Structure formats: C-alpha cells, structure tokens
Amino acid sequence: MPGGPAMSGEGIGASAPKSKAAGIAMTAFAAFGGILFGYDTGTISGIIQMDDWLRTFGVPTSDTTTYPLGYYLPSSRESLVVSILSAGTFFGALFGAPAADILGRRIGIMVSCLVFSLGVALQTGSHDLATFVVGRVFAGLGVGLVSTLIPMYQSECSPKWIRGAVVSGYQWAITIGLLLASVVNNATKDRQDHSAWQISISIQFIWAFILCVGMAYLPESPRWLIKKGKDKAAAKALSRLTSLDPTDPEVETELNDIRVALKEEQQMGESSYLDCFRPGHNKIILRTLSGIFIQAWQQLTGINFIFYYGTTFFTNAGIKNPFLISVATNIVNVFMTLPGMWGIERFGRRSLLLWGAAIMCICEYLVAIIGVTISVDDTSGQKGLIALVCIYIAAFASTWGPIAWVITGEIFPLNIRAKAMSLSVASNWLWNFGIGYATPYLVNTGPGNAGLGVKVFFIWGSTCAGCLIFTYFCIPETKGLSLEQVDLLYQNSTPITSAKYRRELVAQDLHFSDVKGAPETRHDDKASTEKV
C-alpha cells in the first residue's frame, strides 16, 4: 500500500541482540511513507461523491430524479480522475530506480515528498478539471517513487528476524492512510463549499512534511554507500542501525560480506534492465517475473475496487450511509494487517499467501452470488454482503496486502535491485491504473457501460483463484532467511521444494560468504535467529 535477498553478508544487525531497538525503530519509521500512498488512494472515492466537488468538476444534468444535485460525473471523467494517479505512480515507480541508484535511498525518499507536495498544491488550488488531473499526476509521481524506495530502504536496513514485519509496516501505514482518508471525508462531506474537498486533500501536506523531516535524521542504506565506495559513511550508518561502534569488528565483517557479493555481481558488468531478465543459475528472470506478477495479482484481488469505488458501490447497493460503511471497512483493513505482520514471521510468506487467496476467492464468489439474488431493499441481505466484504478485506489485509511488498523486497540481488524493484512496483501501478480506469465502465449502467454491478465480484473471485495457482508454482518460502540465504534458496530449490531447503539453510546457518569466500573469516557464536 511499495531490498532484496541476494544481499551479501548476514545483513544489518547480525550481531546485535533482538533488544537493540534503534535500527528497528529507524527502519520502521520509513514505513510512514505508506500513509502518503494510502491516504491519497482512499480520499478520492469520497471526494468524487461530495456535492461541491460535483458542482465544480461534474457535468450539469436536467435529470434531477436520478441526480438530485443537478450534476453528475460521467464514467469517462470518473475513470480519469480516479485512475490518473496510478498512471503517475507507474512512471514514478520506474523513476525510482535511477533515483535510488543516483541520489540514494534516503535522499530519494525526501525528493519524492517534494514532488508529491507539488501535486497536492495543484489539486488543492484547482478550479478546473485539467489542473486537478495534473495535480493527481504529480502526486502519483511522488507516491510511485515512495512505493519503490521505502520497501527497498527497509529491506536493506532491517534485521532478518523481524524484516518481514518491518516491511509489512509499510502496508500497515497504507491501511492507516486509507482509514484517515475515510474519516476525514466523512467529517467534511456535508460542507457545501470548496473546503469540503480542499481540507481532505491539503492534509496530505502534513504527511509529506513528517516523512521528509524524519528521513533527514535517518542513516543512508549501508549497502548503497558500499556500492558507491563510501566505506566510512557505510560503517557509520551500520553502527547507527546496530548500536555498535563504527570500529567494532562485527561492523567491519558485515561490510566485508557486502563487498564480497557486490564484487561478484559487478564482475558480470554494469547492470541494465535487460539483466533483470537474464537466465542462469541465479534464476534472475524467474525472480523478476515473480516480483512483477505478485504485484499484478495483488491488484487483481479487487481490493482497490472497494477503496476507489466503495462509496459509489455501497450507494448503488442501497446502503443508506456509504461513508460510514467505508470507515468500517477501513477499520477492518487497519486492524487485520496487525495479525498479518505477526503471522508473516510465525507462519511464513508462502502459506499465508495460499490461505489468503483461498479465503478471498470464496468470499468474492459469495458476494457475487448473493448480490445477484437479493434486492436492494433486502436489509439482511445487504448486511450479509457487508459482512462478506469485511471478511474478504480482513483476508487481504493479513496476507496479500503486506506480503506482496515483503516478497518484492526479498528477491533481487544488489546489482539489479533498484531496477527490478522499480519494474515490480510499476507493475502494481500499471494494473492499479487499468483496474481504476476500467471499473466504472464495468459496473455503471447506461450507454457504453457493461452494467455488471455486483456481478463484477465474479471477476475478482476468479482472479483470486489465479493468485492461489501463481503462489503455489512461483513463490518460495523465505521466512527467517538472511538476504543472501534467499539467493542460495533460488539457486538450489524450486518454489514447491523451498520449504524443505529453507529448513536446511536455517539448520546449517549457511551464508553467501561461506560459499563464495569472504575477505575475512570469523567464528560466530550468535544464534541464527539473531542474524539478518
């Protein structure tokens, strides 16, 4: 709501005990960027239903029976306003690669906040649709940059034993942003002047300011600094993340491990986007395609249908206060992400993805079946639909929501990480744009529309079945592995056999430097659970 495994060494904080909270707190703060993503995504569904916004940007109509306000939003305008943000985020995600490699992960995030703020300013001050749409594009560019850079920064800087939960915090922040958007929209919806929607939009300045200022005090990724030859700065950054002295032998050993893997990758030459699809023993093409498709499938679960068009959908379904239902579904989304953050390290990535896809598939088929067999006046039936939608959201929030970002942050070598992650996140936003653009035409009635209504859930149920099949054949189990151990996992197993090989890696505590050789050797009595 968004690092990689072939990273050399045992990872950040290998020697620091679990009680060392400084590094965890710093990398967890970066997840705040998810609020930019979630709030901007969630606010638009309510804004396009507000009276003053419709009077300002809608189309006048004489059909006051259907549209009592005298204004309405045609499907063409609705799809443009909602989906254009995702078009901007698509390009922002692609720009995330050069931003990450040239500016660095930390500075790149700060620049993203400035781009995002420009978009917010344009939307807040707009009085015509063209300016509003341009503002949505710039906000999208900022969100796209953030969604690439933050999971990358977190994966490169967080400890192994809690990396999944830390990166999942990004998705949790997205859900919090969605909830905040629905609460603010519900509070301002009855205002009859521009402040109804300008307040909702301008609050985003606060989120961007907090993230930008906070990142100014956080360390840069030690791995990026090593890649740029800034060894002293890397030692200082690593010492902050591990609460160890920069001259501590453990800090230097970890930096040496990073250099080993980076040197091996660089011997193959400077990486390009084509290298992201290179076949070989390291299965780079499988990993890149897995990252691209897991982000695509996450969008194809249909979750953004609820958060983009939920207010409109619940209105058409006969719900009397769709804004409150939107708040309720967002509360479910926020609080059900928490068990997912815990379960990702308890039960693993692969198993939760499989169970989540199965539950979502069942719920969405039931919504579609019940929805076509009851009338809008059937109160108990409508409550049943809301309950099933909430169960579906709970399943998404605790599985596919956070885990897709964790997987994307764990499956790419350092030399191609920025490029491969940008491709994966761009896939998320490309499908986000496509779904956001097509949905009004699928569900609305009238000329040029399919008029599916609730039947659209048959589509989402089928795509969730596709999520289950994809996970079974393409996603390995990476729970509890260091970043370089995931590289060994890809080299020596398949997704189906990965659980067994993962247990062997953990039991033997085998690492990249053990296989390839490191500049220094050491004896480490730390428990494998303390390594990253």
Side-chain angles (χ1 to χ4, degrees):
M1 178 194 199
M7 191 132 343
S8 53
E10 295 164 357
I12 299 301
S15 303
K18 292 183 181 181
S19 60
K20 295 293 185 180
I24 298 171
M26 285 186 281
T27 51
F29 171 82
F32 189 88
I35 290 183
L36 273 66
F37 179 163
Y39 188 94
D40 204 79
T41 299
T43 194
I44 195 64
S45 67
I47 283 175
I48 61 177
Q49 295 294 311
M50 292 180 182
D51 292 350
D52 185 76
W53 194 91
L54 285 170
R55 285 193 292 264
T56 305
F57 302 105
V59 174
T61 177
S62 57
D63 183 7
T64 55
T65 302
T66 307
Y67 307 102
L69 188 65
Y71 291 85
Y72 79 107
L73 199 62
S75 294
S76 57
R77 289 198 178 193
E78 184 178 10
S79 63
L80 175 65
V81 168
V82 173
S83 64
I84 199 66
L85 175 88
S86 301
T89 51
F90 171 77
F91 290 104
L94 291 178
F95 292 150
D101 283 340
I102 296 171
L103 300 176
R105 286 48 163 157
R106 184 178 69 93
I107 299 298
I109 293 171
M110 296 171 67
V111 170
S112 305
C113 294
L114 299 178
V115 176
F116 177 78
S117 296
L118 173 60
V120 173
L122 287 170
Q123 291 177 77
T124 303
S126 63
H127 294 286
D128 60 81
L129 189 65
T131 306
F132 192 87
V133 168
V134 171
R136 294 276 290 166
V137 171
F138 275 99
L141 285 171
V143 171
L145 286 164
V146 163
S147 62
T148 296
L149 293 165
I150 285 182
M152 187 187 308
Y153 178 83
Q154 290 181 302
S155 293
E156 291 187 350
C157 296
S158 55
K160 175 191 75 173
W161 60 272
I162 201 172
R163 187 177 65 240
V166 168
V167 180
S168 296
Y170 177 65
Q171 173 65 24
W172 189 43
I174 292 174
T175 67
I176 292 173
L178 287 164
L179 175 60
L180 289 172
S182 65
V183 170
V184 173
N185 282 345
N186 189 56
T188 65
K189 70 180 188 299
D190 295 326
R191 290 171 174 258
Q192 295 303 309
D193 56 16
H194 292 340
S195 66
W197 50 275
Q198 286 178 337
I199 290 173
S200 291
I201 294 172
S202 61
I203 282 176
Q204 294 174 102
F205 284 120
I206 299 174
W207 317 140
F209 177 79
I210 292 173
L211 179 62
C212 187
V213 172
M215 291 304 299
Y217 293 96
L218 266 59
E220 180 56 85
S221 163
R223 290 176 167 88
W224 180 80
L225 292 169
I226 287 291
K227 187 176 181 181
K228 292 297 181 180
K230 301 179 179 180
D231 288 27
K232 289 184 178 180
K236 184 177 179 181
L238 186 57
S239 73
R240 289 186 63 192
L241 291 166
T242 58
S243 299
L244 296 171
D245 191 271
T247 59
D248 191 290
E250 293 294 345
V251 171
E252 184 56 34
T253 300
E254 290 192 29
L255 295 177
N256 282 336
D257 288 342
I258 295 172
R259 296 184 191 106
V260 170
L262 179 61
K263 181 178 180 181
E264 178 174 294
E265 291 167 12
Q266 289 177 334
Q267 285 175 348
M268 296 182 288
E270 188 65 28
S271 65
S272 67
Y273 278 101
L274 288 178
D275 290 320
C276 296
F277 300 92
R278 182 179 64 244
H281 76 287
N282 219 16
K283 299 179 183 176
I284 296 298
I285 186 171
L286 171 64
R287 293 153 81 165
T288 300
L289 292 176
S290 295
I292 289 172
F293 279 102
I294 197 171
Q295 292 287 349
W297 283 116
Q298 187 204 53
Q299 293 303 302
L300 286 167
T301 59
I303 190 66
N304 277 336
F305 169 77
I306 298 298
F307 295 118
Y308 280 153
Y309 299 105
T311 307
T312 304
F313 173 75
F314 289 130
T315 299
N316 295 338
I319 306 299
K320 292 183 179 179
N321 196 332
F323 280 88
L324 284 181
I325 299 301
S326 178
V327 172
T329 55
N330 277 289
I331 289 173
V332 172
N333 195 28
V334 169
F335 287 100
M336 286 308 298
T337 302
L338 293 173
M341 294 170 65
W342 168 77
I344 196 171
E345 300 298 355
R346 176 65 177 84
F347 303 110
R349 284 73 157 146
R350 178 180 166 88
S351 58
L352 286 182
L353 287 174
L354 290 170
W355 279 104
I359 295 171
M360 288 190 293
C361 179
I362 293 169
C363 287
E364 293 190 298
Y365 276 136
L366 286 175
V367 169
I369 293 168
I370 295 172
V372 298
T373 56
I374 65 171
S375 71
V376 295
D377 299 320
D378 187 338
T379 304
S380 59
Q382 297 300 325
K383 290 180 179 178
L385 285 180
I386 295 171
L388 284 168
V389 168
C390 287
I391 295 171
Y392 153 70
I393 292 172
F396 175 87
S398 56
T399 59
W400 277 81
I403 296 175
W405 295 103
V406 174
I407 294 294
T408 304
E410 288 183 341
I411 58 175
F412 303 120
L414 179 59
N415 214 32
I416 64 162
R417 177 167 304 119
K419 295 179 177 65
M421 274 202 72
S422 71
L423 289 172
S424 300
V425 177
S427 168
N428 179 296
W429 290 111
L430 180 63
W431 284 96
N432 196 313
F433 168 76
I435 293 169
Y437 190 86
T439 295
Y441 294 101
L442 289 173
V443 300
N444 290 350
T445 57
N449 297 316
L452 293 178
V454 75
K455 297 191 202 79
V456 75
F457 279 91
F458 282 116
I459 296 175
W460 307 139
S462 300
T463 53
C464 284
C467 291
L468 195 152
I469 295 170
F470 165 78
T471 300
Y472 183 78
F473 288 105
C474 299
I475 302 300
E477 182 53 72
T478 56
K479 176 176 76 88
L481 297 181
S482 65
L483 295 171
E484 81 284 355
Q485 284 177 317
V486 182
D487 199 33
L488 296 174
L489 184 78
Y490 269 99
Q491 293 177 21
N492 299 294
S493 70
T494 67
I496 296 175
T497 63
S498 61
K500 179 181 178 182
Y501 187 69
R502 185 199 70 83
R503 289 192 292 269
E504 295 178 8
L505 284 175
V506 172
Q508 298 176 22
D509 196 22
L510 188 62
H511 294 278
F512 192 95
S513 58
D514 298 328
V515 177
K516 302 297 180 180
E520 298 178 6
T521 58
R522 61 171 169 160
H523 178 71
D524 192 349
D525 294 324
K526 297 287 180 183
S528 62
T529 54
E530 293 181 4
K531 300 177 186 298
V532 182

